[in-house]
Amino acid sequence: MNDLSMSGVGHGLESKRMMFIQLIFVDINGVPKGMEVPIGRYDEAIEGGIAFDGSSIPGFEGIEDSDLIFKADPSTYAEVPWEGVSRVYGYIYKGDKSYPADPRGVLRDTLEELEKAGFKAYIGPEPEFYLFRKNGSWELQIPDSGGYFDLVTLDKARGIRREIALHMPALGLVPEVLHHEVGKAQHEIDFRYDEALKAADNIISFKHIVKATAEAHGLYATFMPKPLYGFPGNGMHLHISLWKDGKNAFIGDDGLSETALHFLGGVLAHAKALTAVTNPTVNSYKRLVPGYEAPVYISWGYRNRSTLIRVPAFWGNGARIEYRCPDPSANPYLAFAAILMAGLDGIKRKIEPEAYVEENVYEMDDSRRESLGIDTLPKSLGEALEWLKEDKVVRKALGGAYRNFMAYKEREWEGYLEYLGAKGLPEGTKKVTEWELERYFHV
């Protein structure tokens, strides 16, 4: 294994004075953006903010109205020892007001709304990723032949996973389980759940660590939902619970509490619109196909992995639901905001969850699914965007980012259709195109 080093900076975790600090925010896609300033400007970044031009940030302002300000959130300060810099997340402002399309600000506003209802949200994400070698433009080489939970000889990247896990605490993540996933060269490292805003920050930090470690070993890490046709896709299952007055509000006497069931009912009721946010790329819908573990049927059940929402536990502080369709291309701030507001709508309107099943949904025929009231998720980004337009709750959850998000994603869908037309490919193709690899490989 190569020694993990970046630009000559050793990867040891010894403390030393950092001379620069990265000011990090995300664009409409959830891709981290930012700038470095001398560490002496850190107080300025907290108090008055650092101005920047947002006109070239995907999903932000146009050139005619692009003056934005980054204000650091000091609770997120951390040192990145393998790069020799500090980093901090923050919020975007326009003048003295919060910039409405700032994804992190959208989630902050959502959590304030949730708090008014008496709840605090905890989320545990499980983002999957592939490690590839690249030969030429998009010829991806698979560096190991391991499968699910394989060890030693078949799993060539186990040392890299361990190295990633050792770096995670530096950015505030607590690794819990490391393992090879189903696909060759596919991996998962689970980390401890946290409050929703911190959990979203953790996803951004985790991707950074994984990609930096892979790069140091001459590999490319991708969280793209479906990088290879015929291989399992990358999911990002979300374990969600709400707490009230310091207690898990999802705990029931015999199964989930009414609060949890109504939350679950709200998520199911808004599931089609939610996919535009939790599965926001053209490529996402090449993962959401029958035949793999990714769920496509709107249903729920206790410990049933074929359903859209699984209930892995309903007793003690571990009581939670697992939302199984999201993928790691999602902007975590927008995705969490949308899911939580859909669930809160369920609580407010006391929506009873439908389509409960204990059997394997994939093995049912259409008539059986129809008799149980089981619907299907959208089959494309274009279809998901149409559902989003009609869903007032999810639109409101996105706040000021909705207009920017919708405009950006409609252009993305139109660009894909133009590419298919130029190549003579059908709109419903499940093959992974070069257009997708160029656009999503680095999400």
Side-chain angles (χ1 to χ4, degrees):
M1 293 293 178
N2 297 338
D3 186 41
L4 179 60
S5 57
M6 304 288 290
S7 303
V9 178
H11 68 79
L13 298 184
E14 62 273 7
S15 177
K16 62 181 180 179
R17 176 168 172 75
M18 302 296 174
M19 304 302 294
F20 294 90
I21 185 166
Q22 296 176 336
L23 311 179
I24 300 175
F25 58 94
V26 301
D27 65 18
I28 206 74
N29 295 310
V31 175
K33 303 289 183 180
M35 50 194 161
E36 288 187 12
V37 298
I39 195 70
R41 297 191 72 189
Y42 181 41
D43 286 344
E44 180 186 350
I46 296 171
E47 295 165 7
I50 306 293
F52 70 97
D53 176 4
S55 62
S56 296
I57 303 297
F60 278 24
E61 293 288 356
I63 196 167
E64 73 285 350
D65 190 18
S66 57
D67 293 329
L68 300 175
I69 298 170
F70 174 95
K71 288 189 178 181
D73 176 355
S75 70
T76 67
Y77 175 88
E79 295 181 352
V80 189
W82 57 91
E83 293 188 5
V85 298
S86 300
R87 71 101 171 101
V88 68
Y89 296 127
Y91 297 105
I92 306 302
Y93 286 77
K94 191 171 183 177
D96 59 354
K97 295 182 179 179
S98 295
Y99 177 50
D102 171 23
R104 197 167 187 268
V106 169
L107 180 56
R108 174 196 57 199
D109 294 345
T110 293
L111 298 178
E112 289 175 357
E113 188 75 18
L114 202 64
E115 190 174 349
K116 289 177 184 176
F119 297 110
K120 178 179 286 189
Y122 287 86
I123 299 179
E126 297 177 341
E128 297 167 337
F129 60 95
Y130 276 90
L131 293 174
F132 291 121
R133 289 192 180 91
K134 238 174 86 173
N135 183 19
S137 57
W138 290 112
E139 185 181 338
L140 302 179
Q141 296 180 335
I142 299 170
D144 77 66
S145 57
Y148 192 67
F149 269 46
D150 275 345
L151 296 169
V152 195
T153 55
L154 294 177
D155 180 8
K156 304 298 184 185
R158 61 191 182 278
I160 298 177
R161 282 201 308 271
R162 293 170 192 154
E163 200 165 316
I164 292 167
L166 289 173
H167 286 298
M168 288 167 64
L171 298 189
L173 288 81
V174 180
E176 292 192 326
V177 178
L178 300 68
H179 67 89
H180 202 290
E181 257 297 341
V182 175
K184 295 178 180 179
Q186 187 184 32
H187 308 274
E188 183 176 316
I189 301 175
D190 297 335
F191 45 93
R192 186 172 298 169
Y193 70 91
D194 216 315
E195 295 181 16
L197 185 62
K198 181 65 163 61
D201 290 342
N202 284 346
I203 292 171
I204 304 302
S205 298
F206 179 70
K207 286 183 173 182
H208 174 87
I209 296 168
V210 170
K211 291 176 182 180
T213 308
E215 181 184 356
H217 288 270
L219 299 174
Y220 292 85
T222 183
F223 292 84
M224 184 176 175
K226 190 79 168 182
L228 290 174
Y229 176 73
F231 279 64
N234 286 323
M236 186 172 70
H237 301 165
L238 301 176
H239 293 256
I240 305 169
S241 63
L242 296 186
W243 289 57
K244 191 168 189 174
D245 299 327
K247 297 179 181 179
N248 189 333
F250 280 11
I251 301 171
D253 294 330
D254 184 21
L256 289 178
S257 67
E258 279 197 358
T259 296
L261 290 172
H262 292 153
F263 182 94
L264 194 160
V267 174
L268 290 176
H270 297 284
K272 291 187 177 183
L274 284 173
T275 52
V277 189
T278 61
N279 306 84
T281 67
V282 166
N283 186 254
S284 296
Y285 297 85
K286 299 184 179 182
R287 167 182 168 259
L288 295 178
V289 294
Y292 295 91
E293 286 192 13
V296 295
Y297 300 112
I298 302 174
S299 55
W300 74 283
Y302 287 90
R303 304 186 185 88
N304 188 340
R305 294 181 184 273
S306 70
T307 55
L308 178 62
I309 297 180
R310 181 177 79 100
V311 182
F314 52 84
W315 59 88
N317 288 336
R320 64 193 187 278
I321 66 169
E322 180 188 20
Y323 194 34
R324 295 175 57 79
C325 74
D327 68 56
S329 72
N331 182 324
Y333 303 101
L334 298 182
F336 289 6
I339 294 166
L340 292 173
M341 285 297 97
L344 184 60
D345 181 57
I347 293 172
K348 289 178 176 179
R349 295 200 288 132
K350 299 187 185 302
I351 299 175
E352 296 293 338
E354 299 179 351
Y356 173 79
V357 289
E358 294 184 355
E359 53 198 292
N360 190 331
V361 185
Y362 292 117
E363 295 178 354
M364 297 178 184
D365 57 27
D366 291 342
S367 61
R368 173 64 175 156
R369 282 193 290 268
E370 186 176 349
S371 70
L372 292 172
I374 298 174
D375 206 346
T376 59
L377 293 176
K379 294 181 174 61
S380 69
L381 176 62
E383 184 184 343
L385 292 174
E386 292 303 314
W387 281 103
L388 176 56
K389 290 177 184 176
E390 300 300 320
D391 194 306
K392 293 180 180 179
V393 170
V394 180
R395 288 203 327 257
K396 184 180 178 183
L398 298 180
Y402 169 73
R403 178 177 59 86
N404 299 43
F405 179 85
M406 181 60 73
Y408 189 89
K409 289 299 172 180
E410 284 187 325
R411 288 195 301 270
E412 190 171 311
W413 177 243
E414 290 164 4
Y416 177 64
L417 294 181
E418 289 176 6
Y419 171 86
L420 293 180
K423 295 292 184 180
L425 296 171
E427 181 179 322
T429 181
K430 296 304 177 185
K431 297 286 188 180
V432 179
T433 63
E434 190 169 309
W435 185 94
E436 294 162 76
L437 287 165
E438 290 176 350
R439 194 174 191 107
Y440 305 130
F441 190 80
H442 299 291
V443 297

